[in-house]
């Protein structure tokens, strides 16, 4: 894996040197910075959607777990009453 990664880096450096040297490297860096800047600008709305979706999932799971515990408690009480009826 490391050999493949280093081969990719060496290959890209050799390609840049063959295609134009520092000018090609500057173009590659400028393109990378442009892509990162556009992704950073768009990440605000996406991040908000992810946060809202995760909060909704947490709330739903908490609600369902609470109702599940209540149902299980009611079932246990019902079973106990069946085997141990109240004597008045």
């Amino acid at each position: 894996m490391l050999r493949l990664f280093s081969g990719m880096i060496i290959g890209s450096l050799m390609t840049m040197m063959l295609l134009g040297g520092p000018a090609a490297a500057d173009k590659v860096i400028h393109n990378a910075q442009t892509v990162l800047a556009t992704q950073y600008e768009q990440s605000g709305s996406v991040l908000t959607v992810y946060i809202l979706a995760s909060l909704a999932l947490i709330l739903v799971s908490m609600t369902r777990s609470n109702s599940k515990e209540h149902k299980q408690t009611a079932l246990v009480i019902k079973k106990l009453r069946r085997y141990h009826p109240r004597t008045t």
Side-chain angles (χ1 to χ4, degrees), residues 18-72:
L18 289 174
L19 290 178
D26 288 338
K27 286 180 186 177
V28 169
I29 290 174
H30 177 56
N31 288 342
Q33 287 175 344
T34 305
V35 168
L36 287 174
T38 57
Q39 285 181 352
Y40 180 73
E41 290 172 359
Q42 295 173 353
S43 68
S45 61
V46 173
L47 183 62
T48 304
V49 170
Y50 284 143
I51 289 173
L52 290 175
S54 61
L55 286 175
L57 288 173
I58 290 170
L59 287 173
V60 167
S61 65
M62 286 175 54
T63 305
R64 294 195 75 181
S65 68
N66 190 18
S67 65
K68 187 176 181 181
E69 288 177 11
H70 180 68
K71 288 178 183 177
Q72 287 177 346

Side-chain angles (χ1 to χ4, degrees), residues 13-27:
L13 288 174
M14 289 175 59
T15 304
M16 278 190 265
M17 292 304 289
L18 289 174
L19 290 178
D26 288 338
K27 286 180 186 177

Side-chain angles (χ1 to χ4, degrees), residues 71-86:
K71 288 178 183 177
Q72 287 177 346
T73 305
L75 182 64
V76 168
I77 291 171
K78 186 177 179 181
K79 285 182 180 180
L80 285 174
R81 284 186 183 156
R82 182 184 304 162
Y83 295 112
H84 302 287
R86 288 186 190 177

